[in-house]
Amino acid sequence: MEPLVVLLPLFGAMLSMPLSRVAGAKASEVLTSGLLGVAAIYSWALFFDVAIGGHDRTRVLFEWIGSGAFQVDWAVRLDTLSATMLVVINSVSFLVHVYSMGYMKEYGETPRFFAYLSLFTFAMLMLVTADNFVQLFFGWEGVGLASYLLIGFWYKKKSANDAAIKAFVVNRVGDFGFALGIFCIFYVFNTVQFDEVLNAVRTNAVATPFLAAEGAPVRQLTISVFGADWHALTIIGVLLFIGAMGKSAQFLLHTWLPDAMEGPTPVSALIHAATMVTAGVFLVCRTAEIYEAAPAAAAMVTLIGATTAFFAATVGLLQDDIKKIVAYSTCSQLGYMFFAAGVGAYGAAMFHLFTHAFFKALLFLGSGAVIIGMHHEQDTKKMGGVINLLPLTHIFMLIGTIAITGVGVPGVKLFGVPLGTAGFVSKDMVIESAFLAGADGRAFGMFAFFMGLGAAAMTAFYSWRLMFLTFYGPSRAPDHVVKHPHEVPSTMLAPLAPLALGALVAGMAFYPQFVGDKSVAFWNGALPGTGAAVEMVADAHGGDDGHATEDSHAAEAAHASGGLAAEASTSEASTSKASANAADEHGSEHGSEHGGHHVPTWVLWAPFAMMLLGSGAAFAHYSGRNPLKPGLLREGGMIYAFLKNKWYFDEIYDRLLVRPALAIGRFLWKAGDGRIIDGLGPDGVAASVAAGARRLVKAQTGYMYHYAFAMLIGVGIFMTYVLVRAGGGQ
C-alpha cells in the first residue's frame, strides 16, 4: 500500500483533463483534491508508523535500469527523513488544491491547472522517496518540468513565459552540477544506491573506482580533474550542492525565484513552502554522511547558506509586490536551513524546513486572499486599511507574521519545550547551532551566526512592513476597490486555519522529536550525529533534566550513524554530567555549558533582541498616518538603488551571460548556420542548380532561325572534327 501515497497525485494528474471533458471542470477539481486529501492522511499515518514507531522500510517496486554493473531499482524508501517530507508535501499540497478551487474560479482552465499541481506533487514525492540517486534525479527533473508549466501557466503573458524560461534555464545550471555529482558517485562507488554509498562513507570502506586497478579508503580517495588530484568526497559534495543551489535558489543561482511569482499564487505557495525549493535541503540532509567526511564541502554549504540568508533579507526590505516580499523571505529562510546543515545540525535544518512549510504557506495563501480581495492588486503601496475589508485574512496573516519573525520567550521551557511560535523555536535552534559550531572551530560557524542574526532583524522589519502597508493605516486603494470589495471564497479561507495552527504550535509540538530528548529514537539513524550536537543547543534553551539519558543517547546516535562522530560523542557522554551540573548552577546567570561548549545568555536572547529591533523599526516608521514617508534609505540614494535593484544581479548576469550568449547564438545562426552550412551546403547547391537552369532557359528563344543557325554551327563543328581526325590519320 505504501506506493499509493506517491501514486495518488499521479492518478489525479492523469485523470484531471479527461474527466473534465466528461463531467466538467468541477469534477476534476474535486477528484485531484480528494486524491491529495487521501494521500495526506496516509502520509500522516506513515509518519507515525515510521518516524514515531520506528518501522523503517523500503519497498522495491521493480528493476528500472540494468546495464552491467549499473543497476537501478524503482523503490519507495520510508525512513524518518522521507516520512517527514511526505507529511509536509502532501499536507501543504492538499491545502493548496482546496485553496485553488476558490482562487482559480475567475481564471478558467482549472483542469489543466490542477493536473499540473498534482504532477508537481508526484514529482516531489518521487524525489523524497527515492532509494538511489538516479530515481532522485528523475523526481528532481520532474519538479523542474512541472514548475516550468506552472510558472508559465498564463502562457499568453510574455512576463510569465520569460519567468518560466528563466527558472528552467537557471535550474539547468544547477542540475548539470548535480548530474556530474551522480557520475562521480558511480565512478567512485560503482553504485548509485543510497545505502551502499552512505554506508561506505560511514565505515570508510575501501572503494575501487570504476575500471581502476586498485582502490583506497573512500575518505582518502582522490579524483583527477583537469590534471590535478582532488579529494573525491569533496568534489562529490560540492557538485551535489551546486544542484541544491539551483533548486533551492541559493546565492548566485537565486535569480529565478522572485520571477516565479508570475505564476498563480497557489503555485507560489506550493513551490516556496513545501516542494521544489526544499529539495536542495533534503538532498544535503540525505547525503549528510558525505558532508561530514568532506569539511570543505560542508564549509561551502555554510558559507552560501549564510550569505543567502543575509542577502535575501536585505533585498526584501524594499520590495513592494506582496508576493515578492514573501518570496525573498523564502530565499532567506532556505539560507538558514542550509547553514544549519553545513554546521552539522541536520535535525535543526529539517526542523526549520518542517515549521517553515506552515507559516510560509500561510503567508503566501494569505497574500493570495489579499490579491483577490483587492481586485488583483499586488503593490502594497496601493493598499492600506485592508483590515476593514478582510478582517479574517488579517488574523491569518498576523499569525504568519509573528511565526516567521520568531515571537517567543527565550530560555524558558514549558513542559520541556521552548515557549514560542514555530518560527521562534526552529529558527533560534538554527542560529544557536551555528554559534556552537563556530565555538567548536567549524568553518564559517560564527559567520553564519552573525549573518543569521542580521537576517532575523531584517526579517522582522520587512514582515511588519508588509503588514503595516497592507492592513493598517489609511487606505491608498483605488475607489472601485474600496467601494466594491471582492469577497474571498470560503474555499480560500478554510485551508488557512490548519496552517495558522501549525504556525503557532508546530514548533512546540514537534520539538522533542526533531531536536529534543526524543530525537535519537525519532531519526533512528536517518541523520548522522543527531543526538550529540543538537542536544547541546536543546539544553541551552533551559533544560535541566535527563542529562545522563541524553548523553547515552548521544553516544548511541553517533554509533547508529556509523561511527562518524563516535569518539567525540562518547567523550562528550563521559564529561557531560559535570557540565550539566554546571549548567544547572550557573545557567541562569551565564548561559549553559554542555560538553565543553559554553553558550552565553546573550546568545539565547540575541535572536529575540534582533526580532524586537526589526519589529520596532518597522512600527516606528510605518505605523503613522503617512507610512510612505521617506525613511533612512531614501529614493535616489546609492544604497536604496542597490537594494531596490536586488544587488544588480539580473543586470550583471544580463551583461556577462545573457547578451554574450545571444551574440554568440546570433553569430552562429547568421554566419555559421546561414552563410557557411546552408550557404555551402543545401542552400548553396540548390542556388547553383537554379542559376544554371536560368542560364539554360535563356538559350531557348523559340525562333526557328536561331535553332537553324545552332544546327548549322553544330554541323560545321562536327564536319571540322571529322576532317581533322581524317587528316591526322593519314
Side-chain angles (χ1 to χ4, degrees), residues 6-203:
V6 177
L7 296 176
L8 286 175
L10 177 61
F11 296 154
M14 296 171 61
L15 297 174
S16 178
M17 287 188 280
L19 180 63
S20 69
R21 298 196 175 191
V22 177
K26 194 66 177 179
S28 69
E29 298 174 14
V30 173
L31 173 70
T32 53
S33 301
L35 291 176
L36 255 298
V38 174
I41 294 172
Y42 196 18
S43 296
W44 280 100
L46 287 175
F47 177 78
F48 285 104
D49 180 45
V50 174
I52 307 300
H55 300 140
D56 294 2
R57 54 190 179 273
T58 298
R59 177 71 62 86
V60 177
L61 302 183
F62 53 86
E63 182 180 316
W64 184 25
I65 302 173
S67 177
F70 186 68
Q71 300 291 325
V72 178
D73 294 329
W74 196 283
V76 176
R77 179 190 181 100
L78 292 173
D79 59 5
T80 303
L81 195 59
S82 59
T84 300
M85 294 299 295
L86 286 177
V87 164
V88 171
I89 295 165
N90 279 329
S91 298
V92 174
S93 182
F94 168 65
L95 295 175
V96 168
H97 273 71
V98 175
Y99 178 92
S100 300
M101 294 172 69
Y103 187 91
M104 297 297 294
K105 185 185 301 182
E106 299 179 2
Y107 293 105
E109 298 189 71
T110 53
R112 179 167 64 93
F113 180 76
F114 279 82
Y116 290 170
L117 279 184
S118 294
L119 178 65
F120 192 105
T121 306
F122 163 73
M124 190 67 190
L125 293 173
M126 287 309 312
L127 190 159
V128 300
T129 58
D131 189 43
N132 57 77
F133 286 96
V134 175
Q135 185 183 340
L136 187 149
F137 190 74
F138 173 84
W140 194 273
E141 293 302 301
V143 169
L145 168 64
S147 67
Y148 171 80
L149 297 173
L150 285 168
I151 295 170
F153 179 77
W154 289 314
Y155 56 87
K156 295 181 180 180
K157 288 176 58 180
K158 183 180 184 302
S159 58
N161 285 324
D162 291 344
I165 293 172
K166 186 175 183 179
F168 197 80
V169 170
V170 173
N171 273 274
R172 296 291 69 73
V173 176
D175 293 353
F176 179 68
F178 188 19
L180 290 178
I182 296 175
F183 297 157
C184 288
I185 287 171
F186 182 74
Y187 170 76
V188 171
F189 298 96
N190 292 291
T191 181
V192 290
Q193 294 294 127
F194 287 147
D195 287 339
E196 296 179 24
V197 171
L198 299 181
N199 283 334
V201 177
R202 290 188 190 106
T203 58

Side-chain angles (χ1 to χ4, degrees), residues 385-453:
V386 178
I387 185 174
N388 300 317
L389 303 178
L390 304 170
L392 190 55
T393 301
H394 162 259
I395 293 175
F396 288 132
M397 288 290 286
L398 181 63
I399 292 173
T401 299
I402 65 174
I404 193 173
T405 56
V407 175
V409 184
V412 175
K413 282 190 175 182
L414 181 65
F415 302 112
V417 300
L419 182 61
T421 60
F424 167 80
V425 177
S426 61
K427 185 165 66 175
D428 282 22
M429 182 67 65
V430 167
I431 293 174
E432 291 158 21
S433 296
F435 175 84
L436 286 175
D440 199 34
R442 191 132 181 173
F444 298 111
M446 281 301 177
F447 175 77
F449 171 70
F450 287 108
M451 289 294 101
L453 287 180

Side-chain angles (χ1 to χ4, degrees), residues 500-669:
L501 180 63
L504 289 174
V505 304
M508 295 183 289
F510 291 96
Y511 169 85
Q513 286 75 27
F514 277 87
V515 293
D517 56 353
K518 298 179 181 178
S519 62
V520 175
F522 176 77
W523 290 111
N524 195 23
L527 297 177
T530 304
V534 172
E535 282 170 9
M536 289 186 288
V537 183
D539 289 336
H541 280 272
D544 58 359
D545 57 352
H547 297 289
T549 303
E550 293 176 8
D551 294 330
S552 63
H553 283 172
E556 291 172 9
H559 289 290
S561 0
L564 285 176
E567 294 181 6
S569 295
T570 305
S571 174
E572 178 188 322
S574 66
T575 61
S576 60
K577 179 104 177 152
S579 301
N581 292 335
D584 290 339
E585 288 184 29
H586 307 292
S588 60
E589 296 181 32
H590 306 290
S592 297
E593 187 176 334
H594 227 357
H597 295 264
H598 184 71
V599 183
T601 302
W602 71 267
V603 173
L604 305 180
W605 281 86
F608 184 77
M610 292 296 102
M611 181 272 293
L612 291 180
L613 177 64
S615 302
F619 181 83
H621 187 274
Y622 295 103
S623 61
R625 296 295 299 174
N626 182 23
L628 299 183
K629 63 181 181 293
L632 182 63
L633 299 178
R634 298 174 180 270
E635 292 189 36
M638 184 181 298
I639 298 178
Y640 181 93
F642 182 70
L643 298 181
K644 192 70 174 178
N645 289 282
K646 301 162 288 189
W647 291 28
Y648 293 104
F649 268 104
D650 285 323
E651 291 78 4
I652 293 172
Y653 285 171
D654 183 64
R655 288 186 176 274
L656 295 182
L657 301 174
V658 177
R659 293 185 186 181
L662 287 175
I664 293 172
R666 189 174 292 108
F667 171 78
L668 293 176
W669 168 35

Side-chain angles (χ1 to χ4, degrees), residues 215-558:
V218 68
R219 295 188 209 167
Q220 285 76 49
L221 201 65
T222 59
I223 297 179
S224 179
V225 180
F226 301 123
D229 291 334
W230 302 84
H231 185 225
L233 293 181
T234 299
I235 291 292
I236 291 172
V238 168
L239 290 173
L240 294 181
F241 180 61
I242 290 174
M245 286 174 63
K247 199 66 70 181
S248 295
Q250 291 300 283
F251 189 68
L252 301 179
L253 294 180
H254 66 278
T255 52
W256 67 269
L257 191 68
D259 291 354
M261 298 301 100
E262 287 292 337
T265 299
V267 173
S268 304
L270 192 60
I271 290 178
H272 292 70
T275 52
M276 183 170 172
V277 295
T278 62
V281 180
F282 170 82
L283 174 64
V284 172
C285 290
R286 172 62 81 195
T287 57
E289 286 83 356
I290 293 176
Y291 291 96
E292 287 292 295
M300 178 181 176
V301 176
T302 306
L303 176 63
I304 296 295
T307 303
T308 304
F310 184 83
F311 153 75
T314 63
V315 176
L317 294 174
L318 297 178
Q319 294 299 305
D320 298 324
D321 187 306
I322 188 171
K323 289 172 64 176
K324 287 191 176 182
I325 296 172
V326 185
Y328 275 108
S329 169
T330 298
C331 193
S332 180
Q333 297 302 310
L334 288 166
Y336 279 103
M337 301 174 207
F338 273 110
F339 77 65
V343 300
Y346 306 105
M350 288 302 300
F351 189 33
H352 195 50
L353 184 154
F354 180 80
T355 60
H356 174 264
F358 290 101
F359 57 76
K360 189 50 58 68
L362 178 62
L363 289 171
F364 265 117
L365 298 185
S367 298
V370 171
I371 293 170
I372 292 294
M374 297 295 289
H375 293 269
H376 311 288
E377 180 60 65
Q378 296 184 201
D379 190 345
T380 56
K381 289 186 175 181
K382 297 179 181 179
M383 296 183 185
V386 178
I387 185 174
N388 300 317
L389 303 178
L390 304 170
L392 190 55
T393 301
H394 162 259
I395 293 175
F396 288 132
M397 288 290 286
L398 181 63
I399 292 173
T401 299
I402 65 174
I404 193 173
T405 56
V407 175
V409 184
V412 175
K413 282 190 175 182
L414 181 65
F415 302 112
V417 300
L419 182 61
T421 60
F424 167 80
V425 177
S426 61
K427 185 165 66 175
D428 282 22
M429 182 67 65
V430 167
I431 293 174
E432 291 158 21
S433 296
F435 175 84
L436 286 175
D440 199 34
R442 191 132 181 173
F444 298 111
M446 281 301 177
F447 175 77
F449 171 70
F450 287 108
M451 289 294 101
L453 287 180
M458 290 182 285
T459 299
F461 180 86
Y462 65 65
S463 297
W464 284 109
R465 175 178 179 268
L466 183 153
M467 291 296 295
F468 281 115
L469 290 180
T470 303
F471 290 99
Y472 308 132
S475 176
R476 301 176 299 279
D479 291 338
H480 73 277
V481 175
V482 178
K483 293 178 180 179
H484 305 285
H486 197 297
E487 293 294 335
V488 178
S490 57
T491 50
M492 290 178 60
L493 292 178
L496 302 184
L499 292 174
L501 180 63
L504 289 174
V505 304
M508 295 183 289
F510 291 96
Y511 169 85
Q513 286 75 27
F514 277 87
V515 293
D517 56 353
K518 298 179 181 178
S519 62
V520 175
F522 176 77
W523 290 111
N524 195 23
L527 297 177
T530 304
V534 172
E535 282 170 9
M536 289 186 288
V537 183
D539 289 336
H541 280 272
D544 58 359
D545 57 352
H547 297 289
T549 303
E550 293 176 8
D551 294 330
S552 63
H553 283 172
E556 291 172 9

